[in-house]
Each structure stands twice: as structure tokens, then as C-alpha cells.
Amino acid sequence: MKPLMLQGHQRAITQIKYNREGDLIFSSAKDSKPCVWYSLNGERLGTFNGHIGAVWCVDVDWTTTRLITGAGDMNTFLWDVETGTALGKIPCNSSVRTCNFSFSGNQASYSTDRAMNHPCELFVIDVRNIDASISSADPVLKLTMNEQQSKITSLLWGALDETIITGHENGSLRIWDLRAVKELNSVNDHTASITDMQMSSDGTMFVSSSKDCSAKLFDSDSLMCLKTFKTERPVNSACISPLFEHVALGGGQDAMEVTTTSTQAGKFDSRFFHLVYEEEFARVKGHFGPINSMAFHPDGRSFATGGEDGFVRIQVFDSSYYEHTFE
């Protein structure tokens, strides 16, 4: 099956997300225009214009009516997906690194970098009725990270919208109770910066990828490390198949070092591991640069990757993928 190449961004892809039905893909990149595409044929539906810096993160809510983006221009935008118009804009003190809607879609969270004498902060906002006043409205909750907790690089909502799980630059994972406004637990299983975290389809566990050349599977309540998937280069993104017990990893070495290696060295492949046995069983070539973000289609029959080369690639699995069994 020939992959679909989605070409619309001018610079490196930072994050890609499917909506719940899987008919749309949202992508953000280091250019200032997040895009939305049809996942079936790769046609670009449109862009969301308003940012003036690299867009680091993007998320779409459960009903595909709202989109949230955070960027290096120190703004968080909320958009109407259907019309592409900006519903609200929240100015921040530094770059917005992560953003996520809660499962209910009533709340959203985003975090800012530690820069220019401003600490790294985590915000939770109410997004039920958004208008221009959201730029001056107080957040529902604000958590400030101290020196030991280091910068938040990745973020997930926990069960029932009561907790938030954060991944940090020093490799630690923390879970926060939003009602009691306190840290419930933290673990230090990774030894380097966490690059991505993605929940399983049932929400019981999540996979985290890290620059320490591994991805790990955690229980989303206790933060217990269940499995480790090792590679020999930094992992920028990892996702769990909704269909099989498979984990996909994407990465490559730092973008700075890309010019010194050839594509043939297999540095930029998507790599598939078995969730239980921790064994690699497949690789998919494609990008000519590190993979920065990847996601499984909600039906598990295809997956998408976004790379440093500015392309989003959608790969549909061949029939042999469904017949493959572990001995």
C-alpha cells in the first residue's frame, strides 16, 4: 500500500492528532499555521491562521468542534474547527509547550516553558462557553513548577478529569490531583527528557517516549512502569494500537545531527514492538528526517507520522499485518 504524503507545512511537524472518528488529522508545525486534513485521501481542508510563531502543540476535543493550539509566540488559541475562526486567545508569559482537552471537553489544560524569569506553569481553564473575554479570565487552576520539578514537556488528562499526568524535562512523571491541588505521585523511570505521552484507547495505561532511547508503558493510576521498549536512538513519539497489543515508536537522532547520517541507516523508521513481549517485529521506512510525532488511527488499521522533513505520512497496514502472530 502506497503511503499518503501530506505536504502543506513549510517547516518541521511538531504534533499530529486524529479526531475521535479518525476522519480528520490535525497537524501543527514550526511554521505558524496548524492544518486539518482528510485522513482518507490526504486532502487539506484548511489552516488555522492567527499564530506568529512555531506551534508546539495541538489538540481537538471529543466532538471535533473545538481545537486548542499553543505556540512559541506566547499565546494559546481556541478555534472553531468547522469555520477555522479563532474563538479566543490567551496570552501567556512564555512559550506554550503542551495543551490538551479533558475527556468531557468542558476543560482544557496547557503548560508554559520556564523562560525570562518566569517559572514553568500548568493552567486549567473552563472552555464551555468561549468568547473574547477568555483572554482576561482567571484560569480554574494554576500550578507552578519549582526548580526540582523542571519543565513540563508532555501532558495527559487522567481518569474522570480528576487528575493530570505530566512528563518533565528531567525524565520524571508526575500525577496531580486537580481537586486537592496537590501532587499525588511521581516516578523517575526515564533518565532523560520525556518527549511524548499517549494514552491507550481504554485509558488504563499510557506509553511515554524519551530521549534516553526508550519508551515505557505505565499504569495510568499508579504510574507503575510495566514494560520498556529499548532502541539505540532517541524516541520522539510513541503510541499504542487500539486494535492489537502493539506499540509504535518514532524518532531518530537530534535534528542538528541529521546531515551526517544517511537515510539508509534506518534511523528514521517507524518501529513496531509487541506490547507484552517487548520485541521489535517490524519497521516502516519513509521519512528523510527524525519522526517528531506519530499516532494510530482510532480503528487501528493505519497510522500517521509527522517528521522533521515537514511531511505527514499516512500508512495503511497491509493484510499481512493482521495475519502476523507471535510464536
Side-chain angles (χ1 to χ4, degrees):
M1 176 72 193
K2 195 165 174 287
L4 287 171
M5 301 268 290
L6 315 190
Q7 187 179 8
H9 286 290
Q10 315 287 309
R11 294 184 61 196
I13 308 291
T14 52
Q15 195 168 28
I16 51 176
K17 285 269 173 80
Y18 279 96
N19 64 342
R20 178 171 58 124
E21 291 78 24
D23 58 335
L24 300 176
I25 289 186
F26 296 86
S27 61
S28 63
K30 289 181 184 172
D31 59 17
S32 55
K33 294 179 180 174
C35 293
V36 54
W37 319 74
Y38 279 123
S39 64
L40 190 66
N41 57 7
E43 182 189 342
R44 182 159 76 163
L45 270 162
T47 58
F48 299 89
N49 303 339
H51 282 295
I52 50 170
V55 182
W56 294 117
C57 51
V58 61
D59 195 29
V60 60
D61 71 354
W62 192 239
T63 54
T64 323
T65 50
R66 306 267 175 80
L67 190 77
I68 184 170
T69 54
D73 60 8
M74 306 195 282
N75 285 310
T76 301
F77 270 85
L78 289 144
W79 311 84
D80 183 315
V81 170
E82 189 181 0
T83 60
T85 53
L87 300 169
K89 167 178 154 182
I90 306 167
C92 306
N93 289 329
S94 56
S95 288
V96 182
R97 186 65 52 181
T98 62
C99 61
N100 261 330
F101 281 106
S102 66
F103 288 111
S104 64
N106 294 339
Q107 293 176 307
S109 58
Y110 61 93
S111 73
T112 59
D113 283 354
R114 195 175 79 201
M116 301 177 293
N117 295 333
H118 291 290
C120 170
E121 291 178 317
L122 171 65
F123 297 89
V124 177
I125 52 171
D126 189 321
V127 291
R128 276 173 292 198
N129 31 18
I130 308 169
D131 53 28
S133 68
I134 197 164
S135 61
S136 55
D138 289 330
V140 178
L141 180 69
K142 176 171 142 183
L143 289 164
T144 304
M145 304 295 134
N146 59 30
E147 292 291 323
Q148 292 84 40
Q149 289 163 332
S150 94
K151 183 177 98 176
I152 296 174
T153 52
S154 179
L155 183 145
L156 285 174
W157 281 83
L160 303 173
D161 297 355
E162 289 171 0
T163 55
I164 281 182
I165 303 163
T166 55
H168 296 256
E169 198 170 36
N170 60 4
S172 63
L173 288 166
R174 297 169 194 278
I175 186 161
W176 305 85
D177 184 326
L178 299 183
R179 292 185 177 170
V181 195
K182 67 173 199 278
E183 185 182 317
L184 292 177
N185 191 7
S186 71
V187 292
N188 287 340
D189 288 290
H190 283 294
T191 55
S193 176
I194 289 172
T195 49
D196 187 22
M197 300 193 302
Q198 294 196 31
M199 203 55 95
S200 62
S201 53
D202 60 0
T204 55
M205 51 192 180
F206 66 93
V207 64
S208 65
S209 61
S210 168
K211 290 192 174 165
D212 64 6
C213 304
S214 72
K216 291 179 189 279
L217 191 71
F218 290 92
D219 181 274
S220 55
D221 276 343
S222 65
L223 294 190
M224 188 173 111
C225 183
L226 307 169
K227 297 285 172 189
T228 301
F229 310 97
K230 289 190 173 70
T231 67
E232 61 282 358
R233 53 190 67 89
V235 186
N236 294 338
S237 189
C239 50
I240 303 172
S241 167
L243 201 57
F244 297 118
E245 292 180 327
H246 294 166
V247 177
L249 274 57
Q253 78 281 57
D254 282 344
M256 297 187 297
E257 299 161 14
V258 169
T259 49
T260 60
T261 54
S262 71
T263 323
Q264 272 67 41
K267 301 270 189 198
F268 313 130
D269 301 357
S270 309
R271 306 168 71 155
F272 288 82
F273 286 77
H274 194 280
L275 185 80
V276 180
Y277 303 127
E278 303 182 6
E279 285 178 18
E280 185 179 352
F281 65 87
R283 291 190 184 190
V284 178
K285 284 189 168 57
H287 287 282
F288 44 93
I291 292 171
N292 290 338
S293 182
M294 66 190 305
F296 271 103
H297 190 287
D299 68 5
R301 296 184 175 277
S302 62
F303 72 101
T305 53
E308 190 72 26
D309 52 12
F311 288 98
V312 177
R313 293 172 71 97
I314 301 174
Q315 189 99 33
V316 178
F317 291 117
D318 295 329
S319 56
S320 58
Y321 174 75
Y322 306 104
E323 294 151 13
H324 174 76
T325 53
F326 267 82
E327 297 304 328

